[in-house]
Amino acid sequence: MEFCSFLTLDSFITDPLTHDFMRKALLMSSLVAAVCGFLSSYLTLKGWALMGDAVSHSVMPGVVVAYALGLPFSLGAFIFGVGSVALIGFIKQKSRVKEDTVIGLVFTGFFALGIVLVSKIKSNIDLHSILFGSPLGISLSDVKQTILISLLVVILLSIFRKDLMLYCFDPRHAKTVGINVFFLHYLLLTCLSLAAVVGLQSVGIILVVAMLITPGATAYLLTDKFDNMTLISVLSAIISSLIGIYVSFWFDLETGGSIVLAQTFIFLFAFLFAPRYGIFKLRKLFVGYK
Amino acid sequence: METINYQNFRIEAENICVDYNGKVALYDANLRLKPGQICGLVGMNGAGKTTFFNALTGFVNISKGKIRINGESVRSAQKDQTIAYVPQNEGIDSQFPISVWDVVMMGRYGSMNIFRSPRESDVQAVKDAIERVDLTDHLSTPIGNLSGGQRKRTFLARAIAQRASILLLDEPFSGVDIRTEKLISELFIQFKNEGKTILLSTHDMIHVREFCDLVLLINKTVVAYGETSEVFTPENITTTFGGISPDFLFGPES
């Protein structure tokens, strides 16, 4: 009986694994989550949440144009992602409008352009899957692209891990000791665009910013060590993805939304119960709070 | 140990100008400092002190003028780890998840390989630097758990670990405890004897008289520059602070 099989934890986990699309979805979403989680610690510490939102929305027209031209959608997304940041920088420098306003107007402009393009280019683009993600319907070529991009981002972040940490922490010192701050700035932006591209397959353009900031914010509440923060961020992102996909499978819910909700719940848990920085400071109960 | 020629200039800034998107922050500023000299940089908020530092470290580009560090460009000074910058406490994110050890190790980054993996010599330099600022008990303490004075000493240690010959310090005495203040002044004397050149900005007039051989009074440009005993006069200070009487700045008793 359906109801009985649901009750055992074993089948709760193993049943979905009998489906090919579920195995693929779980694997790919975990990979994407790991990449976004890795980047997330840098973005939250640098204070680039709004930038993450901007870049992830701005990739929309790039995705549409790339699909229409038969190019890899990551290429189009990347060009528009970096382009939006360049445009934000340009308008900020050449006008008296404040930065957050510029960011807001540029990314909504790009996003609107994307939506208009979708309605004009009558192709087989599925607007719903771009906006809300479709981890269950990911194609083989998308799988290859995602793995490639993910590897690239992980390698870049690993090589420049410490430099990026220094860049987020004290760019002036970095510059003073001859480290190329300009390069690091654009490296981080490039990784952000690439992560947004892979992330949007899991949760869609609208929610991908959550993948880029929530795991980092959660980890920030749980540790005072940068390496631990990265680790916790990656783990919480992966766990959220798995929970989100399982829950959406069993309860027939929107997958992207479920993944992000799982992240939000993990954040709330940390917000309430983090040993040192949580509202209730669990540490106080066990070891006495200093 | 390199030999220090005390006659050559460490810092030479000639008629430098800095503007941010057309807004002038500093113009026609000059400064020449030799090894072993300590110079106080005095001026109001917004007078261009931090801009001056930024120009010397290459963090902002100058729009006019010339800067020579040890006779060479700012860029080669960066590569040679010549200049260390010690930020004000407000200038850094104290909640950043990073330990004292890791901050001081950042002083070595410029001379490490691309992965910034510390060699034995880097570890030793960091240990020694932390010992000199008396923070050996706090090696793995996150900077967020330090007092203002301890945090200031952490960044001083970073400058020491860097083995820079020029130290730029932004408000080194603001918000620190007596113990830190004493330690910093002792370090200044040691630095001077080691032939390092120090440029420090401060609001506190008493510190200028106490430590600085030279003083540079600025208000967007140089108001006065020279030996502290000659230049640091009530008239000059009044001009620098836009007409506020030195009585107000020094307190009535001085």
Side-chain angles (χ1 to χ4, degrees), chain A residues 163 170 172-173 175 220, chain B residues 54 58 85 95 106 116 158:
Chain A
D163 279 19
D170 191 353
R172 193 196 306 254
H173 173 72
K175 183 84 187 176
Y220 186 53
Chain B
N54 286 345
Y85 181 81
Q95 293 302 306
M106 283 174 168
R116 316 292 173 205
R158 183 175 75 179

Side-chain angles (χ1 to χ4, degrees), chain A residues 176, chain B residues 10 69-70 76-84 162-167:
Chain A
T176 307
Chain B
R10 272 268 165 69
I69 305 291
N70 286 333
S76 57
Q78 291 173 347
K79 294 279 172 230
D80 296 342
Q81 313 298 307
T82 310
I83 301 181
Q162 192 186 323
R163 303 219 171 99
S165 54
I166 298 171
L167 299 178

Side-chain angles (χ1 to χ4, degrees), chain A residues 5-115:
Chain A
S5 70
F6 184 76
L7 275 183
T8 64
L9 185 65
D10 196 37
S11 64
F12 179 85
I13 291 177
T14 53
D15 276 10
L17 292 177
T18 57
H19 303 280
D20 186 46
F21 71 90
M22 277 301 283
R23 284 199 300 272
K24 210 158 66 183
L26 286 164
L27 267 174
M28 294 317 291
S29 291
S30 301
L31 178 65
V32 166
V35 172
C36 292
F38 196 169
L39 188 62
S40 184
S41 2
Y42 294 99
L43 297 182
T44 40
L45 288 173
K46 186 77 191 156
W48 270 13
L50 190 55
M51 201 66 119
D53 203 18
V55 169
S56 55
H57 277 79
S58 300
V59 301
M60 173 91 177
V63 173
V64 178
V65 170
Y67 263 124
L69 297 177
L71 296 167
F73 71 94
S74 55
L75 185 71
F78 176 68
I79 291 170
F80 276 82
V82 174
S84 70
V85 175
L87 192 60
I88 287 167
F90 181 76
I91 295 178
K92 195 187 98 184
Q93 206 171 36
K94 299 288 175 193
S95 78
R96 59 186 298 221
V97 184
K98 289 201 174 82
E99 184 174 20
D100 61 333
T101 310
V102 177
I103 292 176
L105 73 87
V106 168
F107 89 69
T108 48
F110 272 72
F111 192 58
L113 176 65
I115 291 175

Side-chain angles (χ1 to χ4, degrees), chain A residues 149-211:
Chain A
I149 297 173
S150 301
L151 273 179
L152 180 66
V153 174
V154 168
I155 289 170
L156 285 174
L157 288 180
S158 303
I159 293 176
F160 296 102
R161 195 171 59 93
K162 290 187 174 176
D163 279 19
L164 285 170
M165 175 176 77
L166 172 57
Y167 171 62
C168 294
F169 178 58
D170 191 353
R172 193 196 306 254
H173 173 72
K175 183 84 187 176
T176 307
V177 297
I179 290 170
N180 193 338
V181 175
F182 180 82
F183 166 76
L184 293 174
H185 180 82
Y186 281 94
L187 176 70
L188 200 54
L189 277 177
T190 303
C191 290
L192 170 57
S193 303
L194 292 175
V197 169
V198 293
L200 72 86
Q201 296 178 21
S202 263
V203 298
I205 281 182
I206 294 176
L207 287 177
V208 73
V209 64
M211 303 279 285

Side-chain angles (χ1 to χ4, degrees), chain A residues 9 72 140 195 210 221 248 258:
Chain A
L9 185 65
L140 189 65
L221 291 177
S248 76
S258 306

Side-chain angles (χ1 to χ4, degrees), chain A residues 169 220 223-226 228 276-277 283 290, chain B residues 92-103 135 137-147 150-151 154-155:
Chain A
F169 178 58
Y220 186 53
T223 180
D224 275 318
K225 290 201 177 90
F226 187 82
N228 291 355
R276 185 182 286 272
Y277 300 111
R283 189 189 164 95
K290 304 187 278 191
Chain B
I92 51 148
D93 174 10
S94 65
Q95 293 302 306
F96 203 94
I98 191 169
S99 67
V100 169
W101 179 270
D102 289 335
V103 171
L135 280 177
D137 296 340
H138 294 279
L139 292 182
S140 53
T141 309
I143 58 163
N145 296 359
L146 297 174
S147 70
Q150 289 169 329
R151 210 172 295 143
T154 304
F155 285 89

